[in-house]
Amino acid sequence: MKIIVSKEIESVCPGFVGACVDAKVTNSEYCAELWDEIHALEEEFRRTLTTESLKQLSGIAATRRVYKACGKDPSRYRPASEQLIRRMLQGKELYQIDTLVDLVNLASIRFGYSIGGFDADKFVGDTLTLGVGRKDEPYEGIGRGMLNIEGLPVYRDAIGGVGTPTSDNERTKMTLATTHLVVLINGYDGNEQQVMENGRFIQQLVRRYCDSDGGTVTLYR
C-alpha cells in the first residue's frame, strides 16, 4: 500500500510523520489478557491524568492544533485518542468490540496518537492519500452515521474517505472476518521515534493476541 501525504497536510503540519503497520491476523470476539492490559492502563491514567491535562499529551495536542489549522473545532470533533482517554477518566467502560478493534484502541490510548485500523482487503486501489475533508464530502463514521468531515484530516482510497482522526469509515472497518490488517498512526507532533515505538507496540500486540508474525511497520511523510 502506497501512502501519500498531500500538500494540504504539509502546509498545516510540515513535520508530520506517520507509520503503517501491515500484518496478516486472526481476529476473535474477546481476549481476556488484552483487557487486563487495558484495565492496567486505565488505572495508571486515572492516577496521573485529568480531562484537562490529557490535552497536553504530545500526540493529542498536535492533532488538536492541526484541527484548528484546518478549520475544525477539536472540542466538538475530538480526536479518537482523546475521546478514549476522556472516557476512561470519566469512569466509563471502554466499548468492547473485538480483539483487533480493542488492541488498536489500546495502542492509541497508550501513545496518545489517533490511529486508524482497517480491513485492508476493503480498500479500493493500491494508494491512500492523506488530505483534508471537503464541504459536503460523503463519509459514514463507524457507529456515528454520516459525519461532517470538512476540515478534518482524511485518508482517501480510490473512491473516497476511509479514515479520519475522529472516526474511521464503515466501508473499511475491521470485523471478525478480517485477516489483513493495516494500521495508520498519525504523528502530527513529528516525533518519529515515538511513532515508530507505537508501531512496534502494535506488532507486539498482534503477535500476542492475533496469531500473527507482526507483519511490517514503515514510516511515511
Side-chain angles (χ1 to χ4, degrees), residues 47-142:
R47 290 194 305 268
T48 59
L49 289 175
T50 69
T51 54
E52 285 304 310
S53 67
L54 76 88
K55 296 176 185 177
Q56 305 309 312
L57 295 176
S58 177
I60 291 173
T63 306
R64 290 174 65 89
R65 286 195 298 271
V66 169
Y67 273 33
K68 289 178 181 177
C70 292
K72 209 67 167 178
D73 180 355
S75 294
R76 184 176 179 190
Y77 295 87
R78 296 185 192 278
S81 54
E82 183 181 348
Q83 295 175 40
L84 292 167
I85 298 173
R86 279 177 63 86
R87 188 171 181 84
M88 283 181 167
L89 298 178
Q90 291 168 346
K92 300 175 182 176
E93 288 289 327
L94 293 186
Y95 298 109
Q96 191 276 313
I97 308 298
D98 58 48
T99 298
L100 284 178
V101 174
D102 299 342
L103 74 80
V104 168
N105 285 343
L106 171 59
S108 179
I109 293 163
R110 171 83 175 268
F111 286 84
Y113 293 121
S114 288
I115 297 175
F118 307 94
D119 185 327
D121 291 336
K122 296 177 180 177
F123 290 143
V124 178
D126 62 359
T127 302
L128 296 176
T129 302
L130 177 59
V132 178
R134 298 183 288 264
K135 182 177 175 59
D136 298 325
E137 182 172 359
Y139 188 95
E140 185 177 1
I142 296 174

Side-chain angles (χ1 to χ4, degrees), residues 7-19:
K7 294 195 180 302
E8 288 177 301
I9 294 297
E10 289 179 357
S11 67
V12 295
C13 188
F16 173 85
V17 58

